[in-house]
Amino acid sequence: MQNAFLLIRRLPNGMQNVPATMLREVGIDDKTAASLIHEAKLDVLRIQRDQLLRECDKTQLPDMPITTEKRAAWARYRSALRDMPENVADLDNVQWPVPPAE
């Protein structure tokens, strides 16, 4: 994820929605900036993950017309999504789980 497009929701000094590239200019030290950027990247990852989970919620409904094997494959995919961000080593190069073939 590019820092140029990353917004920090709230800074310790109360400022809101500050681009990550401007943290130094608004008086945030490097250690705090790194922590804020890391948390913002986690937030973005969680938002994307939650959207992917919502998109495949229907695969787990009992009246969804798919095979037991396909339902299990979707369950494994959803489990891999839920394990994020804990299993992500590099927030700048996220390897997303691949959904089962339709």
Side-chain angles (χ1 to χ4, degrees):
M1 172 167 308
Q2 298 286 335
N3 289 350
F5 303 108
L6 194 63
L7 287 179
I8 308 302
R9 289 188 198 173
R10 184 181 266 317
L11 299 182
N13 64 9
M15 293 180 71
Q16 296 180 359
N17 298 322
V18 176
T21 56
M22 295 185 63
L23 293 176
R24 184 173 282 162
E25 293 175 35
V26 296
I28 302 298
D29 65 87
D30 289 343
K31 182 178 178 184
T32 302
S35 177
L36 290 168
I37 289 169
H38 180 79
E39 287 303 315
K41 287 179 180 181
L42 287 173
D43 287 345
V44 170
L45 185 144
R46 288 183 188 108
I47 290 167
Q48 292 172 334
R49 177 213 48 202
D50 292 350
Q51 178 61 37
L52 291 171
L53 283 167
R54 279 190 298 279
E55 290 172 2
C56 63
D57 277 349
K58 64 183 178 226
T59 65
Q60 302 306 295
L61 297 174
D63 60 347
M64 180 71 175
I66 58 175
T67 65
T68 302
E69 293 81 17
K70 188 64 87 168
R71 188 179 315 280
W74 279 105
R76 286 189 299 275
Y77 168 71
R78 292 170 56 79
S79 178
L81 286 173
R82 284 191 302 274
D83 288 344
M84 298 174 86
E86 289 79 13
N87 293 342
V88 175
D90 182 359
L91 291 173
D92 291 319
N93 298 296
V94 175
Q95 299 299 310
W96 292 93
V98 178
E102 293 290 331

